[in-house]
Amino acid sequence: MEAMAKDKVVIVDDDEFMRDSLLEALTRPDLQVIGFGRAAEALDAVSDGSASLLLTDMRMAEMDGMQLLQEVKRLDPRLPVVMMTAFATVETAVQAMKHGAFDYVMKPFKAEEIDLVVHRALEHHRLLTENEFLKDELAKKFRNADFVGKSPAMKVVFEQIRQVAPSSATVFIRGESGTGKELVARSIHAQSPRRSHPLVKVNCAALSAGVLESELFGHEKGAFTGADRRRIGRFEMADGGTLFLDEVSEMDLHLQGKLLRVLQEKEFERVGSSETLAVDVRILASSNRELEKGIEKGDFRQDLYFRLNVISVDLPPLRERRADIPALVRHFLDRFRLEEGGGVKDISDEALDILGRYDWPGNVRELANIMERLMVLGRGDVIDAAQVENAMPKSAIRPDAAAPASAVPALGTAFQVRTLDQVERECIQNTLRHFGGARARTAEALGISERSLRDRLKRWQEAGLIGEV
Ligand SMILES: Nc1ncnc2c1ncn2[C@@H]1O[C@H](COP(=O)(O)OP(=O)(O)OP(=O)(O)O)[C@@H](O)[C@H]1O
Ligand SMILES: [Mg+2]
């Protein structure tokens, strides 16, 4: 950061004389003014989001002021654009205001006039930026109270977070889907000295290799087809802060090599550039599958694994820490009551017992979803057992699992004795139906491999216990 941040003002006018007199009029210690003769150049100059104001002439060859305005609004909607126009085009100036121009000035104008409009536009931009920043901070603000856990297993996790947060060590966060890996990442960042800098997240599973590469490292204009302007990557955005590489196991081998280099040397190049950039970024990475298997198969580089796995935080699945369920239920009850403004205030002990016995293949996220559903559909003050039974995939309730509360609920009159094999069959069939026959999702939800699902279905089919699936 410089001692005094200068506001960058970009001027575009194809009339050189006009440009020069504006540059002169705006020579002030708090401004960095750059002039261009073509709209395309100005667009390029504002594309990285560093400008605070754009002053543009209306009539220009190639791209005119109006087109420029529209491009800019797409790129950086907060950037105030002031149109400069001659008398004859007042109509167009009005049109420009409709398209989001901040203001317009008519040529020829006096120095005071342009001073005033620049002052107002910069003030406007400053407020918008501050506002955005505050909103962002608020949204990102992480309250530890939002991270619930009473079980011994979660106490260990909280303690690990407390210990690793102050350093810049890479942390590898492991756990099934929905166990709270992102919360761990946010918590580490929020308790670290980097907390006033950004926490930037990249989901490595959601993007194709090429897109992910330029997302991480940025690219130069012209680096590839479609790269019509420079773009800074997540590593640069996270400078001074933390970069969370979500689902890092899904990254392809080529990119893994590039990532390894940044981890080792703290430097990289934008795609299409030979300029080496240095960054100070702390890395957090997550994976919901066992990376060790990926390494065996050659899908994941072992050297990268060692680099990432300096310290690991393991989140146990919810079914292995059922003691957390009641506290989580109350937490979501409070959260969704605020969000949805529903009238539901409480949950009955029996209802809580049912929740405590379910296996939660989708972990805390699944519990959150069910609680939200119960709040939205809930009638009356208290959620009861019947409502919970309705909201949940019944097949998966485990009557034998240890309930968090001491009382084991009475078995209703509807209870039927069945063999475990029957229960398993029904459970699998219901889950399959629930996912519209999608085997991969069914297997994942049930916590078994696709192969073992296929084997079971085949066995039952051959035994004539189930129909075509
Ligand atoms: N201990 C917890 N306390 C409160 N809320 C939690 C807790 N764990 C998870 N959640 C909530 O459950 C949801 C899923 O958590 P999160 O996104 O952190 O899981 P994840 O492990 O990153 O899942 P995935 O692997 O699918 O990305 C979020 O809405 C999160 O706020
Ligand atoms: Mg996640």
Side-chain angles (χ1 to χ4, degrees), residues 381-432:
D381 277 0
V382 180
I383 296 170
D384 61 23
Q387 285 174 8
V388 170
E389 269 166 1
N390 268 331
M392 305 224 309
K394 276 180 214 54
S395 55
I397 298 175
R398 291 202 342 191
D400 56 335
S406 52
V408 176
L411 299 168
T413 43
F415 181 76
Q416 261 186 327
V417 174
R418 288 172 304 170
T419 65
L420 279 179
D421 198 50
Q422 275 174 320
V423 173
E424 181 177 270
R425 213 157 54 228
E426 278 174 37
C427 168
I428 287 181
Q429 283 183 291
N430 286 339
T431 313
L432 256 181

Side-chain angles (χ1 to χ4, degrees), residues 277-442:
L277 303 167
V279 280
D280 166 28
V281 170
R282 184 206 199 150
I283 305 287
L284 305 176
S286 88
S287 162
N288 61 22
R289 64 181 178 100
E290 285 178 38
L291 261 189
E292 290 81 356
K293 286 192 190 131
I295 296 169
E296 266 169 40
K297 281 200 291 174
D299 290 341
F300 204 85
R301 291 177 67 132
Q302 186 161 37
D303 44 5
L304 177 58
Y305 173 73
F306 287 140
R307 275 274 161 185
L308 292 174
N309 202 16
V310 177
I311 299 168
S312 73
V313 172
D314 284 275
L315 278 169
L318 188 56
R319 63 185 166 279
E320 285 171 19
R321 47 177 164 113
R322 292 177 191 271
D324 286 335
I325 295 175
L328 282 166
V329 166
R330 307 238 170 254
H331 168 73
F332 290 127
L333 217 52
D334 289 342
R335 185 171 124 193
F336 295 127
R337 188 183 312 114
L338 284 179
E339 281 175 21
E340 321 275 349
V344 180
K345 294 190 189 65
D346 209 348
I347 181 161
S348 77
D349 287 348
E350 285 131 345
L352 205 52
D353 277 349
I354 298 172
L355 294 172
R357 287 200 310 276
Y358 179 46
D359 249 356
W360 302 111
N363 293 296
V364 185
R365 178 177 296 112
E366 188 181 10
L367 176 60
N369 289 344
I370 291 212
M371 289 313 295
E372 186 168 20
R373 201 178 311 157
L374 285 167
M375 290 296 280
V376 173
L377 302 176
R379 270 181 249 134
D381 277 0
V382 180
I383 296 170
D384 61 23
Q387 285 174 8
V388 170
E389 269 166 1
N390 268 331
M392 305 224 309
K394 276 180 214 54
S395 55
I397 298 175
R398 291 202 342 191
D400 56 335
S406 52
V408 176
L411 299 168
T413 43
F415 181 76
Q416 261 186 327
V417 174
R418 288 172 304 170
T419 65
L420 279 179
D421 198 50
Q422 275 174 320
V423 173
E424 181 177 270
R425 213 157 54 228
E426 278 174 37
C427 168
I428 287 181
Q429 283 183 291
N430 286 339
T431 313
L432 256 181
R433 212 171 297 138
H434 176 77
F435 287 117
R439 290 193 183 185
R441 294 184 62 193
T442 302

Side-chain angles (χ1 to χ4, degrees), residues 177-178 180-183 201 203 244 246-247 286 365:
S177 180
K181 295 186 292 296
E182 192 161 342
L183 284 187
K201 175 183 145 177
N203 186 334
F244 176 38
D246 205 4
E247 307 202 37
S286 88
R365 178 177 296 112

